[in-house]
Amino acid sequence: MDSSLAKDMGNRAWSKAWNKTKTFFGFPANTILVCIGVILLVLTLVPFGSLILSTFANKNPITQKISGYSPDNWVNTFAGEHSNQYLWTPLGHSLLVAILSCFFAILFGGSVAYLITRTNLRFKKFISSVFIFPYIMPQWTLALFWYNLFISTNCPGGHIGEIQALTGWAAPTWLCYGPFPIAMVLGLHYAPFAYILMGGILRNMDANLEEAATILNVPRWKIFTKITVPILKPAILSTILLVFSSAISSYTVAATLGDPVNYKVLATQMETLLRSKTVWQYGIGNVISMLMIAMGLIILTFNQMSTGSRKSYTTVSGKSGQISKQNLGKVGKWIVSCVLVFFVVFVCIGPMVSFALESFLANPGTGDFTRFTLDSWIDQKGTLGSAGYKGLFFNEEIWTSLRGTLVVSVICALIAGTVGLLIGYGVAKKRKSKMASGVNALAFLPYLLPSITLSAIFFDMASTFSAAGFKFLYRNPMFLAILLGSIKFIPFASRSATNAMLQLSNEIEEAAVIQNVPWWKRMTRVIFPIQKSSFLSGYLLPFISCMREYDLFLFIGGNGMLLTKQMFLFHSDGIYGLENAANLLLVIIILLVNWLVNKITGASLDKGIGG
């Protein structure tokens, strides 16, 4: 009797648990969050665990065989014989470059935002639209533009650049190579961040705040420093954290403008160490990868602490919708407008003009601007460089790598966009649950990790699996690049989809549920059409980002797999004409796709700020 009762109670418990499970997974949002949460957990924790293990492993970088585990890599990194060379000096350089980059980004972006939103500046729409170009373009674009302009015979291994050829003035080494040009290029690249963040606050700031000070005869400079700047503090802090974390992990700019004078930052030093054939140098490279991830997490924590404080920065109230604008005067208005237009055209359109000019030179790199040719575009004999490359239109390496870039970008966009859409749906439907918060945070984590460290992590993981007998990832770099790109760009799609889903009332879907409409049909026939613009941007933004990426794929595949990698090979081989032609092609494609994004989705980075 007792055994029968116990068995019956057991059956009831199992039945109750089974019914609860069926009920739980009967909601599509729960199923989505659980499945994607498990996948993201594996794809983030397994590589991360592999990296942590590698920092303690004595691994042969050639055979990938592990001979044992010890803390030697950490000791060598922080207190070894070469610690100054491999860690402390590059770390100091990285911090200097990151700080200067933040300064330049806020100076340029904040100035443009203030002039557009708070003055009677002319040509606002043109400036606002064009100023975002440097961020849309690859980082390397501005670095190459700077190199073309300022390279001179004064620089180590240099040649006559555009400014020296046109004016005869040879720029000093510090202006072409080193911390100043690296920080300047990164500052210009990330200036749109400051422009967007600060411009939004300036545009919506209550005019009464400044008008009250004006009535009290407070000087304009004091109003700016005591009222405007403090109100901008959240935007300034967000810009600093974002630019700092991005600049400290930048590889391409530092490699182009730093390596020729042996100015090593953490990213370039890590790349050199991870390509080393020496066991202890390879181990130090893994430790530096771990340190860069830790720095990203520290920056995230600091950002959360600063934005989570109880300080109030309210700038929008119901008292005044008027924006107080400063009158630059009849003459000053035109002077400032013309200067700003010249600066924006020089920085945003100048690179494309420079690439076109360099690609048509008969002798690129010699300073001879009197002879022009189309060889970099239409040469069929293979006369470019010592390797005998053909012109762009007949160059198989360029078109093969461009096809690879398009394949990776399209597939990554489809995967990231679809996963991001599902995450957005699940998070919006279960927004108050811990499960939704966990999946949302897990999806955003790859954005906080430096691209070059993610590349190193996945390369190390593929090498470890290959040494263990699982060679699929190592032998299929295209698949590895797609996997890596999809993980990295999921945050773009998930944030866009989550924001779009939160705008929808639950009643819209509930009406379809009452009619017994299946979930997939509710998504395709009801939800997606309503927020089509936001959801499409979740597919197209990862595509654009993947097209211009280099750091993320640094350790993945050969030089000919992606166009950005092929271009970097041209630069290393000194084939400047072909490099500039390929760079111009890539920039044009990205700008055309971005224009298409705006036309299809109606989204624009500068929308709502000026114009």
Side-chain angles (χ1 to χ4, degrees), residues 387-406:
Y389 288 105
K390 296 181 180 180
L392 183 141
F393 289 119
F394 301 97
N395 191 298
E396 285 297 324
E397 289 87 353
I398 290 178
W399 294 108
T400 299
S401 59
L402 177 59
R403 284 195 295 270
T405 298
L406 290 171

Side-chain angles (χ1 to χ4, degrees), residues 44 67 96 248 292 312 359 390 395 418-419 445 469 480 502 539 560 564 597:
T44 53
S67 58
L96 175 61
I248 207 167
M292 293 182 70
S312 176
S359 69
K390 296 181 180 180
N395 191 298
T418 302
V419 173
L445 181 62
L480 189 59
L502 289 174
Y539 286 91
T564 50
V597 169

Side-chain angles (χ1 to χ4, degrees), residues 59-63 272-282 459 474:
K59 182 189 290 187
N60 188 308
I62 300 176
T63 63
T272 301
L273 291 170
L274 289 178
R275 293 195 186 279
S276 171
K277 305 302 181 184
T278 307
V279 175
W280 65 272
Q281 288 182 326
Y282 184 79
F459 174 76
Y474 197 76

Side-chain angles (χ1 to χ4, degrees), residues 116-408:
I116 284 182
T117 58
R118 309 311 301 273
T119 70
N120 59 338
L121 187 77
R122 304 289 297 175
F123 314 119
K124 289 184 179 183
K125 188 173 183 179
F126 170 78
I127 295 172
S128 181
S129 300
V130 176
F131 191 68
I132 63 172
F133 279 17
Y135 179 67
I136 296 173
M137 298 178 187
Q139 281 186 8
W140 193 16
T141 298
L142 282 176
L144 183 59
F145 174 51
W146 191 280
Y147 175 87
N148 289 341
L149 280 179
F150 293 106
I151 187 67
S152 70
T153 51
N154 283 340
C155 303
H159 53 266
I160 299 177
E162 293 173 359
I163 290 181
Q164 186 176 3
L166 296 174
T167 66
W169 177 70
T173 301
W174 67 266
L175 190 58
C176 183
Y177 295 130
F180 178 78
I182 295 173
M184 180 64 77
V185 167
L186 289 173
L188 290 171
H189 178 71
Y190 292 115
F193 284 154
Y195 168 67
I196 294 167
L197 294 173
M198 298 171 68
I201 292 179
L202 287 169
R203 183 175 183 271
N204 295 317
M205 196 170 76
D206 190 351
N208 289 336
L209 297 169
E210 293 176 320
E211 289 173 358
T214 303
I215 294 172
L216 295 173
N217 293 322
V218 178
R220 172 62 66 173
W221 66 269
K222 204 164 188 178
I223 294 175
F224 180 78
T225 56
K226 297 295 184 179
I227 296 178
T228 307
V229 172
I231 287 175
L232 287 173
K233 184 180 177 180
I236 293 174
L237 185 59
S238 296
T239 303
I240 290 174
L241 294 174
L242 195 150
V243 175
F244 188 92
S245 60
S246 300
I248 207 167
S249 62
S250 174
Y251 171 81
T252 50
V253 176
T256 303
L257 302 178
D259 279 359
V261 291
N262 199 32
Y263 190 84
K264 292 288 187 179
V265 297
L266 280 179
T268 54
Q269 186 64 73
M270 186 186 75
E271 188 269 345
T272 301
L273 291 170
L274 289 178
R275 293 195 186 279
S276 171
K277 305 302 181 184
T278 307
V279 175
W280 65 272
Q281 288 182 326
Y282 184 79
I284 293 177
N286 284 319
V287 174
I288 293 178
S289 299
M290 191 69 199
L291 291 177
M292 293 182 70
I293 291 176
M295 291 175 67
L297 295 177
I298 290 172
I299 292 171
L300 170 64
T301 303
F302 185 75
N303 183 47
Q304 294 294 334
M305 291 173 59
S306 62
T307 56
S309 65
R310 295 190 178 186
K311 293 180 181 179
S312 176
Y313 297 97
T314 302
T315 62
V316 182
S317 68
K319 295 180 180 179
S320 174
Q322 182 182 2
I323 300 176
S324 178
K325 292 190 177 182
Q326 183 178 353
N327 189 352
L328 298 175
K330 292 183 179 179
V331 178
K333 174 177 63 177
W334 286 101
I335 293 176
V336 174
S337 300
C338 291
V339 170
L340 190 56
V341 167
F342 175 79
F343 170 77
V344 169
V345 169
F346 178 77
V347 173
C348 305
I349 300 178
M352 290 180 282
V353 177
S354 175
F355 300 150
L357 177 64
E358 292 284 338
S359 69
F360 290 126
L361 292 181
N363 298 303
T366 63
D368 183 2
F369 283 78
T370 61
R371 298 176 55 209
F372 296 89
T373 180
L374 293 174
D375 286 351
S376 294
W377 295 89
I378 61 174
D379 177 76
Q380 301 184 49
K381 299 178 181 179
T383 62
L384 302 176
S386 57
Y389 288 105
K390 296 181 180 180
L392 183 141
F393 289 119
F394 301 97
N395 191 298
E396 285 297 324
E397 289 87 353
I398 290 178
W399 294 108
T400 299
S401 59
L402 177 59
R403 284 195 295 270
T405 298
L406 290 171
V407 168
V408 171

